[in-house]
Amino acid sequence: MPEFQIGARAIGPEQPPLIIAELSGNHNQSLERGLAIVDAMAAAGAHAIKLQTYTADTMTLRGAHRIDDPSSLWYGRELYELYEEAHTPWEWHRPLFERARQHGLLAFSSPFDETAVDFLESLDVPAYKIASFENTDWPLLRRVAATGKPVIMSTGASRLAEVAEAVDVLRAAGCRQLVLLKCTSTYPATPQNTNLRTIPHLQQLYPDCLVGLSDHTMGVGASVAAVALGACVVEKHVTLRRADGGVDSAFSLEPEEVAQLVTETERAWQALGSIQYGVQRAEENSRLYKRSLYVARDIAAGEPFSRENLRVVRPGDGLPPRYFDQVLGKPARAALRAGTPLSWENL
């Protein structure tokens, strides 16, 4: 599998997973709150901050659609108005990116049309994210790929053929460094519809790409499991406090949870290790506590060893237990006290 850089950070299976904190619309139309979220994510140990670059006018038309799904967090909302509320004003991007960079975080965005790409290029972003709903927008894919920068693309609500087409379009337009994220485009997603076993299969289908998870579930369990299955990148929506409200707050992580996410995904990555059998150096001292044959009561010289005067116990200073049947009935060479580890010299 490949390894490449986003900014100064190496991404790949031999590196700890990249944790992306998705600000989305949880700034609640306050730049100060947005900056506070960046500060909190840096303190929590996240590696990157991601924005979304669009306006209501670049996303939809006024009056085009009202959300009529009763299970949606945004049921009854008019789409244009929702995007007006959720969008990050373009003039906020520079201060948010600058604050992230001051903390040593990567800072980039999801563009939703070609004008957004042009704008983000003026801010010298190190990478681009393609949202699930935009991965069929071939003009957008071509414009992003033409920058020559790494691309992270979500695959939610997509047929496999659509993913294949998007990858082909990106490759043909110049994208050489690509991460594909398993994603379930429901908000929130449930563990039952997350289907993490897709991640290693996605890696098999696209061995020249990296893979990861755009996680809309509650908590960190799915993300940790994804890393164990090969995810090199994990993206999560974040906020200061879910109780503060916000368009995505219901399925967003708070700073303490982000800290847990960073810690536990790195532990999962460390625990993957390599294929290992036999005794590791770290285990050598523990071999003392394997069982062995010990004299369980005093034995006179010439007395035969029996089930009554021998036992299999810890530690491992005596003969291994596999010799138990072999020594039964053999005479003791000399008197032995209870608690003596049995050796061949005792027979």
Side-chain angles (χ1 to χ4, degrees):
M1 287 179 285
E3 179 174 304
F4 55 81
Q5 298 279 134
I6 296 181
R9 187 178 179 88
I11 312 297
E14 301 304 315
Q15 305 295 331
L18 176 74
I19 305 301
I20 302 172
E22 164 65 80
L23 180 60
S24 184
N26 286 331
H27 46 65
N28 296 355
Q29 291 303 306
S30 164
L31 175 58
E32 290 307 309
R33 179 181 171 86
L35 293 169
I37 293 176
V38 173
D39 293 341
M41 293 306 108
H47 308 127
I49 290 289
K50 191 184 78 66
L51 308 183
Q52 295 181 353
T53 307
Y54 65 86
T55 67
D57 289 309
T58 64
M59 289 289 272
T60 188
L61 300 172
R62 190 181 295 274
H65 180 72
R66 185 174 296 276
I67 299 171
D68 57 6
D69 178 3
S71 66
S72 171
L73 292 174
W74 309 293
Y75 175 61
R77 298 290 303 275
E78 208 274 315
L79 203 58
Y80 187 96
E81 294 174 355
L82 183 64
Y83 290 140
E84 277 192 321
E85 176 186 329
H87 86 284
T88 300
W90 291 23
E91 62 270 21
W92 292 5
H93 282 55
R94 186 178 296 277
L96 288 168
F97 284 170
E98 287 178 351
R99 181 66 65 88
R101 290 164 182 156
Q102 288 168 9
H103 289 298
L105 301 179
L106 297 173
F108 56 99
S109 186
S110 295
F112 288 79
D113 79 323
E114 295 173 71
T115 66
V117 180
D118 295 338
F119 170 68
L120 291 169
E121 279 295 282
S122 74
L123 300 178
D124 196 26
V125 294
Y128 284 93
K129 166 70 192 299
I130 300 295
S132 291
F133 298 151
E134 271 56 50
N135 65 25
T136 54
D137 185 347
W138 291 13
L140 175 63
L141 298 182
R142 291 189 181 107
R143 180 66 187 93
V144 167
T147 69
K149 295 177 179 177
V151 177
I152 301 170
M153 184 177 77
S154 284
T155 61
S158 300
R159 297 182 177 89
L160 186 55
E162 291 172 327
V163 175
E165 290 169 350
V167 171
D168 288 346
V169 169
L170 287 167
R171 292 298 197 210
C175 175
R176 297 291 173 262
Q177 299 170 324
L178 179 59
V179 184
L180 300 175
L181 302 186
K182 174 67 180 82
C183 177
T184 299
S185 295
T186 60
Y187 308 92
T190 66
Q192 292 82 359
N193 67 20
T194 299
N195 297 310
L196 294 179
R197 286 191 177 95
T198 308
I199 290 174
H201 187 261
L202 194 61
Q203 185 69 82
Q204 291 172 11
L205 290 177
Y206 296 101
D208 59 342
C209 297
L210 297 177
V211 296
L213 177 68
S214 179
D215 185 8
H216 299 140
T217 65
M218 303 299 293
V220 303
S223 292
V224 173
V227 170
L229 289 168
C232 299
V233 174
V234 172
E235 178 187 68
K236 274 286 218 179
H237 288 244
V238 299
T239 188
L240 292 177
R241 288 287 175 260
R242 283 185 290 275
D244 295 342
V247 291
D248 295 337
S249 61
F251 57 93
S252 296
L253 294 187
E254 297 179 353
E256 296 83 359
E257 295 166 317
V258 173
Q260 183 185 25
L261 174 70
V262 172
T263 298
E264 297 303 327
T265 52
E266 183 160 350
R267 285 176 176 168
W269 169 76
Q270 290 170 337
L272 288 174
S274 58
I275 297 171
Q276 180 268 322
Y277 298 101
V279 181
Q280 299 184 73
R281 180 175 298 178
E283 297 176 303
E284 288 174 355
N285 291 339
S286 297
R287 285 187 62 79
L288 173 64
Y289 300 103
K290 284 186 173 285
R291 289 180 178 252
S292 66
L293 302 183
Y294 266 73
V295 175
R297 69 185 190 193
D298 293 347
I299 298 176
E303 181 180 346
F305 293 108
S306 67
R307 295 182 181 276
E308 286 70 39
N309 59 28
L310 283 184
R311 284 189 60 196
V312 177
V313 297
R314 295 183 183 184
D317 290 333
L319 291 174
R322 65 175 176 271
Y323 296 117
F324 186 75
D325 290 342
Q326 187 174 336
V327 302
L328 289 178
K330 302 291 192 299
R333 176 174 291 178
L336 298 170
R337 296 182 62 85
T340 301
L342 190 68
S343 68
W344 291 119
E345 289 73 25
N346 299 139
L347 276 71

